[in-house]
């Protein structure tokens, strides 16, 4: 009986002498007069170099939105390049002296060049006499071809000139207004329960509902909007807020305009028990005024000096701010911030010798007040009794009313 081989024997290296001659690939002698057989060549010595997919000449991309290919029709590894090329070119807004008219004989309408100034996303195809949406074309997907709303602005085109800038634009306008209102007021967007039977679906959706109560057309759009174009999902909200944040940072960088600036850094733990680091930039603008701008809030896993330094450098370099332009640092008096050898100010000073560290004056004032109050007995008794009164009065609404009447 043949001994059963184990998996170790299967992967065991064989001695070169044990390989039989029959296992060697046979030598092939080709007759020069005979036609070359169509046999795949597996010998690496005769392999031809791998041919890459032909690169597309970006200068030959079709600009007319009615004639160009959809981005998903290109090879997968070229779609991002094609998309970036079209973004650099911008929307195709061809201005004609006279646009063809269409519609009922009694009241024909035509495309208007003035719409380009109102809607920067709008495109016009002279070959088809229809309008298109430039962002919709950039991010269109094949799965959405069956939806009329998406296909009308990406494949078929839009020609109902009477409704250009009508309900769809108003719908997006209300969505953007709602997002900005929640952001400026600092209120939460989402609700605990956003189901169809929920009484309170959160600030964002409740405001949209209030808008719909005063506008039946908007209420119909909110209710019948396709799932892919309702713009009420958390991911869409975060994306829009991120775009707004990016725009604000660009404006701040434009104010700095390659000049020098100072850093003011502080950390705090938020309600979700995450450590957050705030970044504030202080600089002198073109008019000579000292400006103080909040530049961002970064979540850091810990408060070690190297972690804070990496987070600060990432934010600055990501926004094209020169690290060598730092001329000041303002932190609190913690050891990880002000340490002369391993503190954050020391690490940044090693890279930027002119970035002088100054102990934050607000923290200095706080420490001075605490030290002063501890040295005065009357102040100690006052704050002790004050905290006692606050606790007693705050625990009863009747006592609060009595204090208010008194």
């Amino acid at each position: 009986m043949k001994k059963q081989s184990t998996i170790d024997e299967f992967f065991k290296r064989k001695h070169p002498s044990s390989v039989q001659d029959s296992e060697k690939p046979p030598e092939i002698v080709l007759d020069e007069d005979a036609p070359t057989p169509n046999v795949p060549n597996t010998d690496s010595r005769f392999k031809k170099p791998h041919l890459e997919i032909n690169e597309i000449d970006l200068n030959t991309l079709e600009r007319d939105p009615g004639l160009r290919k959809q981005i998903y029709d290109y090879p997968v590894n070229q779609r991002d390049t094609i998309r970036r090329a079209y973004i650099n070119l911008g929307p195709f807004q061809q201005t004609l002296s006279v646009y063809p008219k269409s519609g009922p004989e009694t009241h024909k309408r035509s495309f208007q060049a003035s719409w380009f100034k109102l809607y920067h996303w709008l495109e016009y195809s002279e070959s088809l006499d229809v309008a298109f949406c430039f962002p919709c074309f950039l991010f269109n997907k094949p799965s959405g071809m069956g939806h009329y709303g998406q296909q009308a602005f990406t494949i078929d085109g839009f020609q109902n000139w009477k409704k250009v800038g009508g309900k769809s634009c108003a719908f997006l306008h209300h969505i953007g207004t709602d997002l900005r209102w929640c952001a400026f007021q600092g209120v939460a967007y989402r609700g605990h329960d956003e189901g169809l039977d929920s009484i309170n679906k959160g600030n964002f959706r409740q405001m949209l509902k209030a808008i719909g109560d005063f506008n039946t057309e908007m209420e119909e759009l909110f209710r019948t909007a396709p799932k892919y174009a309702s713009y009420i999902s958390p991911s869409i909200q975060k994306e829009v807020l991120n775009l707004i944040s990016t725009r604000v940072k660009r404006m701040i960088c434009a104010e700095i305009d390659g000049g020098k600036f100072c850093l003011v850094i502080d950390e705090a733990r938020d309600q979700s028990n995450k450590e957050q680091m705030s970044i504030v930039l202080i600089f002198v603008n073109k008019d000579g005024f000292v400006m103080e701008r909040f530049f961002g809030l970064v979540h850091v896993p810990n408060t070690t000096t190297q972690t804070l330094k990496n987070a600060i450098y990432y934010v600055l370099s990501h926004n094209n701010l020169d690290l060598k332009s730092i001329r000041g640092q303002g932190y609190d008096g913690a050891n990880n911030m002000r340490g002369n050898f391993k503190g954050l100010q020391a690490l940044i000073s090693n890279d930027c010798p002119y970035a002088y560290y100054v102990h934050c004056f607000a923290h200095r004032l706080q420490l001075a007040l605490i030290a002063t109050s501890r040295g005065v007995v009357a102040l100690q008794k006052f704050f002790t009794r004050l905290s006692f009164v606050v606790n007693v009065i705050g625990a009863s609404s009747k006592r609060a009313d009595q204090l208010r009447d008194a």
Side-chain angles (χ1 to χ4, degrees):
M1 183 177 179
K2 187 178 179 180
K3 185 179 178 181
Q4 187 177 3
S5 60
T6 62
I7 191 170
D8 294 334
E9 295 177 355
F10 180 79
F11 287 103
K12 187 176 181 181
R13 182 185 298 273
K14 296 182 180 180
H15 195 273
S17 60
S18 63
V19 180
Q20 300 179 1
D21 295 338
S22 60
E23 296 179 358
K24 297 180 180 179
E27 296 183 0
I28 302 176
V29 179
L30 297 178
D31 188 0
E32 296 180 355
D33 298 332
T36 303
N38 187 16
V39 179
N41 189 0
T42 58
D43 195 338
S44 60
R45 296 174 298 173
F46 302 101
K47 282 186 177 180
K48 296 181 179 180
H50 179 66
L51 296 178
E52 299 290 343
I53 300 178
N54 294 331
E55 294 292 339
I56 296 179
D57 186 4
L58 301 180
N59 296 325
T60 62
L61 292 178
E62 178 61 52
R63 295 289 287 135
D64 192 323
L67 303 177
R68 66 192 175 195
K69 291 169 53 177
Q70 295 296 315
I71 292 181
Y72 56 74
D73 289 333
Y74 289 92
V76 177
N77 58 343
Q78 295 179 347
R79 293 176 186 173
D80 289 339
T81 303
I82 299 298
R83 185 178 290 110
R84 284 193 293 267
Y86 273 111
I87 291 176
N88 293 331
L89 293 173
F92 185 71
Q93 299 182 341
Q94 186 178 16
T95 303
L96 303 178
S97 57
V98 178
Y99 290 91
K101 293 186 177 182
S102 60
E105 293 293 337
T106 56
H107 195 77
K108 288 188 175 183
R109 289 183 170 87
S110 64
F111 186 87
Q112 302 295 324
S114 59
W115 293 338
F116 289 142
K117 297 182 180 180
L118 297 176
Y119 314 112
H120 301 287
W121 49 266
L122 190 63
E123 293 186 300
Y124 176 76
S125 172
E126 183 181 5
S127 60
L128 301 180
D129 186 30
V130 291
F132 291 88
C133 173
F134 184 59
C136 298
F137 160 72
L138 293 175
F139 303 100
N140 187 23
K141 296 181 180 180
S143 59
M145 293 177 63
H147 300 286
Y148 168 75
Q150 187 173 0
Q151 187 171 343
F153 280 93
T154 56
I155 300 176
D156 298 335
F158 181 79
Q159 200 183 38
N160 193 345
W161 309 131
K162 182 180 180 180
K163 295 184 178 181
V164 171
K167 297 181 180 179
S168 299
C169 293
F171 172 72
L172 296 177
H173 175 73
H174 287 302
I175 293 288
T177 302
D178 194 353
L179 286 171
R180 285 186 299 167
W181 182 87
C182 292
F184 289 141
Q185 294 301 116
V187 298
Y189 284 82
R190 315 305 304 181
H192 177 68
D193 181 11
E194 296 185 354
L196 297 177
D197 300 331
S198 176
I199 300 177
N200 189 349
K201 299 180 181 180
N203 295 319
F204 178 74
R205 293 205 178 185
Q206 289 300 127
M207 175 168 284
L208 290 180
K209 183 179 181 301
I211 295 174
D213 292 341
F214 291 94
N215 192 325
T216 57
E217 293 183 353
M218 290 299 103
E219 192 277 334
E220 180 69 16
L221 285 175
F222 296 149
R223 185 176 59 84
T224 61
K227 185 178 181 180
Y228 69 90
S230 58
Y231 303 102
I232 59 176
S233 65
S235 59
I236 293 296
Q237 293 178 5
K238 293 178 181 179
E239 185 175 355
V240 173
L241 291 175
N242 184 54
L243 293 174
I244 296 175
S245 173
T246 302
R247 178 61 178 171
V248 172
K249 290 179 181 179
R250 288 180 180 177
M251 295 176 64
I252 296 176
C253 293
E255 283 187 293
I256 298 176
D257 194 23
K260 314 303 179 183
F261 58 91
C262 300
L263 290 175
V264 178
I265 307 296
D266 201 0
E267 312 95 36
R269 186 172 298 178
D270 61 10
Q271 191 173 4
S272 62
N273 204 28
K274 292 182 179 180
E275 193 72 26
Q276 305 285 357
M277 178 180 66
S278 62
I279 301 177
V280 177
L281 302 182
I282 301 177
F283 57 93
V284 179
N285 64 6
K286 299 177 182 179
D287 299 326
F289 294 99
V290 178
M291 310 300 296
E292 183 174 339
R293 301 296 192 193
F294 173 73
F295 200 69
L297 197 65
V298 184
H299 168 60
V300 289
N302 53 68
T303 57
T304 61
T305 55
Q306 191 63 42
T307 300
L308 299 179
K309 175 190 172 184
N310 294 340
I312 294 171
Y313 278 23
Y314 172 79
V315 172
L316 297 181
S317 60
H318 189 69
N319 292 276
N320 297 324
L321 291 175
D322 187 7
L323 302 177
K324 299 296 183 180
S325 297
I326 302 176
R327 289 297 181 269
Q329 308 176 67
Y331 315 134
D332 56 22
N335 291 331
N336 65 326
M337 304 299 287
R338 70 170 184 176
N340 293 329
F341 301 101
K342 296 184 179 180
L344 177 62
Q345 65 93 9
L347 296 182
I348 296 181
S349 296
N350 292 335
D351 299 333
C352 310
Y354 297 103
Y356 296 103
Y357 164 70
V358 177
H359 191 175
C360 177
F361 288 101
H363 286 88
R364 284 186 178 184
L365 178 61
Q366 181 188 15
L367 296 176
L369 292 176
I370 293 175
T372 303
S373 62
R374 288 178 179 176
V376 181
V377 179
L379 285 177
Q380 289 186 3
K381 293 182 179 180
F382 170 76
F383 284 108
T384 301
R385 294 182 180 179
L386 179 62
S387 61
F388 176 75
V389 172
V390 171
N391 293 334
V392 173
I393 300 299
S396 172
S397 58
K398 294 181 180 180
R399 296 170 187 168
D401 292 337
Q402 292 176 357
L403 179 63
R404 191 179 298 106
D405 295 338

